[in-house]
Amino acid sequence: MILFISLSLNAQNKVGNFKVYNNKIIWQRIYKKSLNINSQSITLRALGFSSKQSNLWIKSIRGAKLKVEKKPNQTRLSVIDIYSIPKYYFTFGWFFGIEQNVAPRYIEEKYLFKRKLREKFINKDAKIIDEVIQNEINYIISFNESEW
């Protein structure tokens, strides 16, 4: 019975490449090769997802911090401080608008409840956000490896 309880707690704190660490949702993946990539701020964009596939937070995803750690023939990538910036416009004609509510909304505000991942994140949204993150990382790696 104790084993069952501990397994159910782990299931709520980890899904795919995401896990909860110190009340933060982080994305982490270990590659079994040395990658030509450095720690940096990254831009995230949820392109190509239909309205049914995603929600306003995912559509407004904007960025995160990428932390890179290296060992011989291994690279660990951690994506932290994942955030979205929802935008609301009040327009006063066809060319003029005032942008409101541009403060970042971090992933924990949407998907973390009482130190556990919300069910919607586990069942659906983690897969979409994982794809967004991996697309950006693959782009950075391929850009860094291209010759000019």
Side-chain angles (χ1 to χ4, degrees):
M1 177 137 176
I2 294 172
L3 178 63
F4 177 73
I5 293 170
S6 69
L7 287 175
S8 68
L9 288 176
N10 279 339
Q12 294 179 349
N13 287 323
K14 185 172 182 357
V15 60
N17 292 318
F18 292 96
K19 65 181 180 180
V20 177
Y21 179 76
N22 284 344
N23 269 344
K24 299 276 189 184
I25 298 174
I26 63 169
W27 180 95
Q28 194 169 70
R29 184 169 173 196
I30 298 173
Y31 294 81
K32 295 187 188 292
K33 61 182 179 178
S34 181
L35 298 176
N36 183 19
I37 191 169
N38 296 313
S39 296
Q40 59 190 287
S41 293
I42 59 174
T43 301
L44 300 174
R45 295 168 292 230
L47 303 174
F49 294 102
S50 71
S51 298
K52 290 180 181 179
Q53 285 180 301
S54 63
N55 58 43
L56 183 60
W57 192 92
I58 293 173
K59 289 178 193 171
S60 303
I61 196 168
R62 291 293 179 260
K65 294 176 187 168
L66 174 65
K67 181 181 175 188
V68 179
E69 298 169 286
K70 296 182 180 186
K71 288 183 176 179
N73 296 320
Q74 274 192 335
T75 307
R76 179 166 72 177
L77 303 181
S78 301
V79 177
I80 59 173
D81 296 337
I82 304 164
Y83 67 92
S84 166
I85 300 180
K87 293 183 179 182
Y88 302 101
Y89 292 95
F90 296 101
T91 56
F92 301 103
W94 62 273
F95 67 94
F96 180 72
I98 299 173
E99 193 173 302
Q100 300 290 324
N101 194 20
V102 292
R105 185 167 180 218
Y106 290 92
I107 194 169
E108 293 82 14
E109 296 173 48
K110 173 83 174 161
Y111 296 113
L112 198 62
F113 181 72
K114 294 186 179 179
R115 300 180 184 197
K116 308 253 185 292
L117 294 170
R118 291 184 185 266
E119 191 173 327
K120 184 177 190 316
F121 183 78
I122 293 168
N123 294 336
K124 181 181 176 189
D125 293 351
K127 183 178 178 184
I128 298 169
I129 298 169
D130 180 76
E131 188 176 333
V132 169
I133 290 171
Q134 290 202 55
N135 286 343
E136 182 62 19
I137 288 171
N138 291 340
Y139 171 76
I140 293 168
I141 292 169
S142 67
F143 184 79
N144 288 348
E145 292 177 351
S146 67
E147 296 181 28
W148 58 280

